[in-house]
Amino acid sequence: MAKRWYVVHTYSGYENKVKGEIEHRAEINGMQDKIVDIQIPTEDVTEIKDGGKRETKEEKVFPGYVLVRMEMNDDTWTLVRNTDGVTGFLGLDGSKPAPLRRSEFNKIMHRGGGNANGSKPQKHVTTTTNIEPGMSVKVVSGPLADFDGQVSEVNAEAGKVKVMLTIFGRETPVELTLDQITIIA
């Protein structure tokens, strides 16, 4: 019987525990050949703190969900469904869980930075920042160091801001990277 990917809903924050518990229970019950892979899609999120300090952490793309590649039968369904922290399967087709289509799985794993064989290629990086338009900032590096200005646009994904600086008596928009500025309190 074919092994397909299924989405399992868990209590939020229990994803890693559920993954370990399903793997453990599959091993004890001799079902490693039927439950063959479990993925928790993650991505690296870089947050820019005050002063341009970057902090990168791994976050779950879909909190409360785990992807399980398994042969669906009564035994495997029961094992997964009765695992502590599992609330059920996503996408019921009648009384049976509906497997993910290959395109859905690929889209989820591409976004999350993993792939079908479980290896993790370069991760998708998302940048968040507490810098907002209208904030006063000081340029701390580059040829415009020591200029003060006001943020007019923020592009967190690209890690850049547009700052209005007064150069030679005129307001001039300048694009800077987030690590080139610091917020003026």
Side-chain angles (χ1 to χ4, degrees), residues 68-136:
V68 180
R69 184 168 176 237
M70 59 190 272
E71 179 182 307
M72 182 58 71
N73 62 39
D74 289 343
D75 293 335
T76 57
W77 181 90
T78 301
L79 184 141
V80 172
R81 180 64 186 91
N82 292 329
T83 299
D84 286 342
V86 170
T87 61
F89 283 88
L90 197 65
L92 292 180
D93 180 14
S95 63
K96 290 194 125 185
L100 284 175
R101 290 190 301 271
R102 174 55 67 182
S103 61
E104 293 170 323
F105 174 78
N106 290 341
K107 187 174 182 182
I108 289 168
M109 293 313 290
H110 175 69
R111 178 167 183 338
N115 62 31
N117 66 12
S119 66
K120 294 212 172 189
Q122 186 170 355
K123 293 204 174 220
H124 170 75
V125 177
T126 301
T127 303
T128 60
T129 180
N130 59 350
I131 297 172
E132 297 175 4
M135 290 182 140
S136 296

Side-chain angles (χ1 to χ4, degrees), residues 21 54 85 122 157 183:
E21 188 66 20
R54 292 176 182 265
Q122 186 170 355
E157 278 295 313
I183 298 171

Side-chain angles (χ1 to χ4, degrees), residues 10 15 76 98 154 173:
T10 70
E15 301 87 357
T76 57
V154 178

Side-chain angles (χ1 to χ4, degrees), residues 20 22 37 71 82 96 101 108 119 140 148 158 160 171 180:
I22 292 172
D37 197 4
E71 179 182 307
N82 292 329
K96 290 194 125 185
R101 290 190 301 271
I108 289 168
S119 66
V140 293
D148 293 342
K160 296 185 178 190
E171 285 276 303
Q180 286 183 287

Side-chain angles (χ1 to χ4, degrees), residues 129-165:
T129 180
N130 59 350
I131 297 172
E132 297 175 4
M135 290 182 140
S136 296
V137 295
K138 177 184 236 13
V139 180
V140 293
S141 65
L144 300 171
D146 297 326
F147 276 87
D148 293 342
Q150 192 169 41
V151 176
S152 62
E153 290 178 33
V154 178
N155 183 347
E157 278 295 313
K160 296 185 178 190
V161 291
K162 193 171 282 186
V163 178
M164 298 302 287
L165 299 177

